[in-house]
Amino acid sequence: MAPTVATTTPAAAAAAAAEVKPAKRSVGLGLPALPPLLPGLASHGQPRVASFCKRLARNVVAMAAGEAPAAPLAANAEITEFINALKQEWDRIEDKYAVTTLAVAASLGMWSAGGVVSAIDRLPIVPGLMEAVGIGYSGWFAYRNLLFKPDREAFFAKVREVYEDIISG
């Protein structure tokens, strides 16, 4: 069946463009069109925005005057407490240069290890082999350290010993 093409004259197209009517049905869905907005409802969301802006301006003025903001959030208080604790710990550190160097080295090490793992993961057979090795090692570790009660107790004693060594510093 051949497609049909509707042809209109330029005069009919101009008349249709001059006469714009609201759609009785929305395009494509067959649903009725929404009624036009009333003049009083055109700024429906603006009172909320104005209220937020006034509250924000009040907080800015209060902070500039040295007062506390109107209503601090609970999460904000937790973050502030964490940052203050972090500052206290940082002030306690004597060799800040070494700690910073260690943090940068650890970050670079993690980034490069991620790159190596990503490169290995792109090789065709290696990911499946690595997964099999990981499953095998996990099974061996569970059999060796977690399956039987004496082995499990020895393993947890070793973990506690290492934990105490780290904590006692």
Side-chain angles (χ1 to χ4, degrees), residues 71-91:
L73 298 173
N76 192 11
E78 291 175 4
I79 291 172
T80 305
E81 182 180 330
F82 174 74
I83 290 173
N84 288 338
L86 193 62
K87 285 179 183 177
Q88 288 175 355
E89 289 297 320
W90 183 253
D91 290 339

Side-chain angles (χ1 to χ4, degrees), residues 96-123:
K96 291 179 174 62
Y97 180 75
V99 171
T100 305
T101 303
L102 185 61
V104 169
S107 298
L108 287 174
M110 292 297 287
W111 177 69
S112 62
V116 168
V117 169
S118 177
I120 289 173
D121 194 39
R122 290 189 193 121
L123 298 174

Side-chain angles (χ1 to χ4, degrees), residues 34-163:
L34 294 172
L37 288 175
L38 298 174
L41 296 177
S43 62
H44 178 66
Q46 299 223 354
R48 247 186 307 177
V49 172
S51 165
F52 174 74
C53 288
K54 286 179 186 176
R55 195 170 352 126
L56 183 64
R58 225 177 305 138
N59 287 342
V60 169
V61 170
M63 287 193 293
E67 301 170 3
L73 298 173
N76 192 11
E78 291 175 4
I79 291 172
T80 305
E81 182 180 330
F82 174 74
I83 290 173
N84 288 338
L86 193 62
K87 285 179 183 177
Q88 288 175 355
E89 289 297 320
W90 183 253
D91 290 339
R92 256 184 6 152
I93 296 173
E94 294 176 11
D95 196 1
K96 291 179 174 62
Y97 180 75
V99 171
T100 305
T101 303
L102 185 61
V104 169
S107 298
L108 287 174
M110 292 297 287
W111 177 69
S112 62
V116 168
V117 169
S118 177
I120 289 173
D121 194 39
R122 290 189 193 121
L123 298 174
I125 294 178
V126 176
L129 180 66
M130 296 296 272
E131 187 174 346
V133 167
I135 291 171
Y137 180 77
S138 297
W140 175 82
F141 180 83
Y143 174 75
R144 177 105 174 142
N145 296 313
L146 303 175
L147 192 59
F148 301 110
K149 188 172 183 175
D151 296 333
R152 187 171 46 242
E153 289 173 353
F155 173 69
F156 287 134
K158 176 89 172 169
V159 168
R160 281 189 209 100
E161 179 185 326
V162 170
Y163 176 76

